[in-house]
């Protein structure tokens, strides 16, 4: 069986109960926080299939890749552990990104690392499956689209896999190789900024880069024998990208939060109140730079003002 693994997304398509926002939890040490969080997950009765909760292009690309490869889709979630996308779970807001509104780090007293939180939540979550159990069986490729933060979070579990299983891994990420553990670097497929160039059919934003690379790989390798090595697949990707041009460099203007809020308010109705379309408008039409997570937080403030 081929497996596709992607990350959870901050964007949820279902409303999140106040109790299942990490920012609503009292501060505690890491183990205590994981137990508190698990209790709230168990107590929440409003639940949906994971595939109906997660939003955003990166997730949609992973779904499309799984369909192309006839693969099982798994989600690496900072709030739930590793889950199958068909698992029925409550909507939640939780991330290991340090500056995000519902960051785990902001609630932990004492020492914190994403890897330690992953170990704690995988143990405490009522929905999590073990990485080893999820990927052990079959001989198909394991295609994982992960950001550097999520690679750091689950690296220990992945590196503990038997060599025969680890050899099936194909990793898709926007992170530079020096942010990937040395032992995993041979499995990183060689996608680069040409994926956003004029010759690419999968242009997008930096935040959905991994999902778009995964989608291209699925289209490229669909039907190939599962015995192909990571080196052979890397060569196939390099050959496919040969001749693709890099995107033109655009120098965008940066603004502080106060200015950004005023600009978002002014253009809110022009895109029907969609923060993703508004961010695209800011970048492409206005030449304004803003990191996606920061922009989403600012857009939430404006949406709350208008409610």
């Amino acid at each position: 069986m081929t497996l596709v693994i992607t990350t959870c997304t901050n964007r949820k398509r279902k409303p999140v109960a106040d109790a299942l926002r990490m920012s609503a939890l009292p501060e505690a040490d890491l183990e205590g926080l994981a137990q508190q969080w698990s209790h709230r997950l168990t107590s929440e009765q409003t639940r949906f299939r994971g595939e109906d909760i997660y939003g955003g292009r990166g997730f949609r690309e992973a779904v499309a890749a799984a369909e192309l490869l006839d693969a099982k889709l798994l989600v690496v979630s900072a709030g739930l552990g590793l889950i199958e996308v068909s698992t029925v779970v409550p909507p939640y807001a939780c991330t290991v990104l340090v500056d995000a509104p519902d960051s785990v780090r902001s609630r932990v007293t004492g020492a914190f690392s994403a890897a330690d939180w992953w170990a704690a939540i995988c143990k405490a979550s009522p929905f999590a499956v073990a990485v080893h159990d999820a990927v052990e069986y079959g001989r198909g490729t394991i295609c994982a689209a992960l950001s550097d933060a999520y690679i750091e979070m689950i690296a220990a579990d992945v590196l503990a896999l038997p060599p025969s299983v680890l050899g099936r891994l194909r990793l898709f990420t926007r992170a530079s190789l020096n942010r990937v553990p040395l032992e995993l670097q041979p499995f990183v497929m060689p996608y680069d900024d040409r994926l956003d160039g004029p010759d690419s059919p999968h242009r997008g934003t930096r935040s959905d880069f991994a999902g778009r690379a995964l989608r291209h790989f699925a289209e490229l390798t669909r039907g190939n024998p599962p015995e192909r090595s990571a080196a052979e697949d890397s060569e196939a990707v390099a050959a496919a990208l040969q001749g693709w041009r890099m995107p033109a460099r655009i120098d965008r203007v940066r603004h502080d939060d106060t200015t950004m809020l005023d600009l978002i308010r002014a253009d809110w109705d022009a895109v029907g109140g969609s923060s993703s379309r508004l961010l695209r408008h800011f970048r492409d039409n206005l030449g304004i730079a803003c990191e996606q997570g920061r922009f989403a937080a600012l857009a939430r403030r404006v949406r709350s003002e208008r409610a």
Side-chain angles (χ1 to χ4, degrees), residues 48-52 54 59 72-75 83-89:
F48 306 90
R49 289 163 61 95
E51 58 198 327
D52 296 326
Y54 298 112
F59 182 76
K72 179 185 290 187
L73 179 59
L74 302 168
V75 178
I83 65 166
E84 294 186 14
V85 75
S86 60
T87 303
V88 178
V89 297

Side-chain angles (χ1 to χ4, degrees), residues 59-70 73 215 218-219:
F59 182 76
R60 295 197 308 272
E61 296 287 19
V63 170
E67 291 174 350
L68 283 167
L69 298 172
D70 192 24
L73 179 59
R215 169 73 176 274
E219 295 172 347

Side-chain angles (χ1 to χ4, degrees), residues 36 72 133 225 270:
Q36 288 185 50
K72 179 185 290 187
D133 293 343

Side-chain angles (χ1 to χ4, degrees), residues 255-271:
H255 295 296
D256 60 23
D257 284 1
T258 300
T259 303
M260 286 297 299
L261 286 168
D262 288 340
L263 292 168
I264 291 171
R265 294 182 185 108
D267 283 13
W268 185 264
D269 292 328
V271 296

Side-chain angles (χ1 to χ4, degrees), residues 250 252-253 267 270-271 276-289:
I250 300 174
R252 295 187 174 96
V253 179
D267 283 13
V271 296
S276 59
R277 288 198 296 271
L278 190 58
L279 177 57
R280 192 75 269 161
H281 168 64
F282 270 45
R283 288 173 171 172
D284 295 345
N285 301 329
L286 303 182
I288 294 174

Side-chain angles (χ1 to χ4, degrees), residues 1-255:
M1 177 180 292
T2 299
L3 298 176
V4 167
I5 301 174
T6 189
T7 62
C8 61
T9 61
N10 287 333
R11 180 182 172 189
K12 302 297 192 298
R13 297 165 59 197
K14 302 294 183 181
V16 176
D18 289 342
L20 280 182
R21 294 187 178 278
M22 179 56 67
S23 56
L25 268 67
E27 294 183 356
D29 61 56
L30 191 143
E31 295 292 339
L33 192 69
Q35 291 298 325
Q36 288 185 50
W37 181 250
S38 175
H39 176 73
R40 294 192 180 201
L41 290 174
T42 304
S43 300
E44 178 57 54
Q45 298 303 306
T46 301
R47 302 181 182 185
F48 306 90
R49 289 163 61 95
E51 58 198 327
D52 296 326
I53 292 176
Y54 298 112
R57 182 179 176 186
F59 182 76
R60 295 197 308 272
E61 296 287 19
V63 170
E67 291 174 350
L68 283 167
L69 298 172
D70 192 24
K72 179 185 290 187
L73 179 59
L74 302 168
V75 178
V76 177
S77 165
L80 303 175
L82 182 68
I83 65 166
E84 294 186 14
V85 75
S86 60
T87 303
V88 178
V89 297
Y92 63 95
C94 174
T95 180
V96 291
L97 299 178
V98 174
D99 296 326
D102 288 290
S103 171
V104 177
R105 180 66 187 94
S106 67
R107 313 316 300 161
V108 173
T109 59
F112 171 82
S113 75
D116 287 343
W117 171 254
W118 177 251
I121 195 59
C122 286
K123 181 179 179 181
S125 170
F127 306 106
V129 297
V131 171
H132 181 277
D133 293 343
V135 305
E136 180 180 16
Y137 300 103
R139 59 192 183 98
T141 308
I142 303 167
C143 299
L146 303 172
S147 66
D148 50 352
Y150 280 74
I151 292 173
E152 176 187 355
M153 188 169 72
I154 72 166
D157 279 359
V158 176
L159 290 172
L161 295 171
S164 60
V165 177
L166 189 60
R168 294 158 45 202
L169 178 66
R170 306 293 180 267
L171 187 56
F172 306 88
T173 184
R174 185 63 181 75
S176 59
L177 274 182
N178 61 12
R179 297 294 301 275
V180 178
L182 184 63
E183 300 90 338
L184 296 181
Q185 291 180 13
F187 308 108
V188 177
M189 296 295 99
Y191 287 94
D192 56 31
D193 285 345
R194 287 174 292 178
L195 193 65
D196 293 315
D199 305 302
S200 171
H202 297 293
R203 295 185 294 276
T205 66
R206 293 174 69 92
S207 65
D208 51 43
F209 180 95
R212 291 183 288 112
L214 167 60
R215 169 73 176 274
H216 178 266
F217 182 82
E219 295 172 347
L220 178 68
T221 63
R222 183 183 184 187
N224 287 346
E227 295 82 7
R228 284 167 60 101
S229 68
E232 289 174 315
D233 282 338
S234 290
E235 290 174 2
V237 170
L241 269 58
Q242 189 173 9
W244 286 16
R245 291 166 291 174
M246 289 287 187
R249 180 177 176 82
I250 300 174
D251 292 323
R252 295 187 174 96
V253 179
R254 297 184 179 276
H255 295 296

